[in-house]
Amino acid sequence: AILASCVAASTRQTYLQSRYWQMVFSRVLSTVTKFGSQHPFIFGVGFAAVKTSVSDLIAQTVFEGKRLEDVDRRRNLVFFTWGCLYLGGVQYFIYSFLFPRKLFPTIPAFAAKSFRDKLADKAGQKIVVQQVCFDSFLHIPFVNVPAFYQVKALIEGETPWQGFQNSCQNWTEDMKVAISIWGPTQAFNFSICPIWMRVPWVAAVSFF
């Protein structure tokens, strides 16, 4: 009887702890979602900047074996700025302003639909494909990749011209990789994610 009572008490304690953390997670998620939907630009830029800085910090300390005090802060600041200005700012302009407000004005209505309604909306699906093509064949090859190589040149002490040359030299291979990754990623983004989540989604995927 004592053993059974102890087991029951332990089970109840585990259940209560599980419920507690579920409530905490739910409240945090609700707060983040509310803030992100009300302040999409600030949330997207902040998320992208912090993500990029943290990614570089992990790269320097884990993969390059540096101690925290030996981290190249200038390099990390460059990555933070890249995340803030381009991954956050420029991509917010493209994905959350240019696409839904100028090029494809029916996007907000499609994004607000249920998954079942989206499956039945052939016109909306066509616009998703158009967004993916715009991103894959215009934005990434002619804006994103060249900008990335300029940042890379800055970090490595090269000239802008050398960055441009490196971009041209690796362009074909980079595009094969980019389209294979970002094609499906953006198809999910443009069909499932709400407008305010587009930039954070891209930033989260690029973390890996």
Side-chain angles (χ1 to χ4, degrees), residues 6 120 191:
C6 290
S191 59

mmCIF file with all atom_site columns, all heavy atoms in Angstrom, residues 6 120 191:
data_model
loop_
_atom_site.group_PDB
_atom_site.id
_atom_site.type_symbol
_atom_site.label_atom_id
_atom_site.label_alt_id
_atom_site.label_comp_id
_atom_site.label_asym_id
_atom_site.label_entity_id
_atom_site.label_seq_id
_atom_site.pdbx_PDB_ins_code
_atom_site.Cartn_x
_atom_site.Cartn_y
_atom_site.Cartn_z
_atom_site.occupancy
_atom_site.B_iso_or_equiv
_atom_site.pdbx_formal_charge
_atom_site.auth_seq_id
_atom_site.auth_comp_id
_atom_site.auth_asym_id
_atom_site.auth_atom_id
_atom_site.pdbx_PDB_model_num
ATOM 1  N N  . CYS A 1 6   ? 3.288   5.803  -2.937  1.00 0.00 ? 6   CYS A N  1
ATOM 2  C CA . CYS A 1 6   ? 4.468   6.543  -3.390  1.00 0.00 ? 6   CYS A CA 1
ATOM 3  C C  . CYS A 1 6   ? 4.483   6.668  -4.917  1.00 0.00 ? 6   CYS A C  1
ATOM 4  O O  . CYS A 1 6   ? 4.798   7.726  -5.473  1.00 0.00 ? 6   CYS A O  1
ATOM 5  C CB . CYS A 1 6   ? 5.740   5.864  -2.915  1.00 0.00 ? 6   CYS A CB 1
ATOM 6  S SG . CYS A 1 6   ? 6.021   5.991  -1.130  1.00 0.00 ? 6   CYS A SG 1
ATOM 7  N N  . ALA A 1 120 ? -7.908  23.914 -51.706 1.00 0.00 ? 120 ALA A N  1
ATOM 8  C CA . ALA A 1 120 ? -8.943  24.073 -52.728 1.00 0.00 ? 120 ALA A CA 1
ATOM 9  C C  . ALA A 1 120 ? -8.771  25.360 -53.546 1.00 0.00 ? 120 ALA A C  1
ATOM 10 O O  . ALA A 1 120 ? -9.435  25.531 -54.562 1.00 0.00 ? 120 ALA A O  1
ATOM 11 C CB . ALA A 1 120 ? -10.318 24.074 -52.066 1.00 0.00 ? 120 ALA A CB 1
ATOM 12 N N  . SER A 1 191 ? 3.099   29.387 -48.400 1.00 0.00 ? 191 SER A N  1
ATOM 13 C CA . SER A 1 191 ? 1.781   28.741 -48.395 1.00 0.00 ? 191 SER A CA 1
ATOM 14 C C  . SER A 1 191 ? 1.220   28.527 -46.989 1.00 0.00 ? 191 SER A C  1
ATOM 15 O O  . SER A 1 191 ? -0.004  28.484 -46.816 1.00 0.00 ? 191 SER A O  1
ATOM 16 C CB . SER A 1 191 ? 1.843   27.389 -49.114 1.00 0.00 ? 191 SER A CB 1
ATOM 17 O OG . SER A 1 191 ? 2.774   26.529 -48.500 1.00 0.00 ? 191 SER A OG 1
#
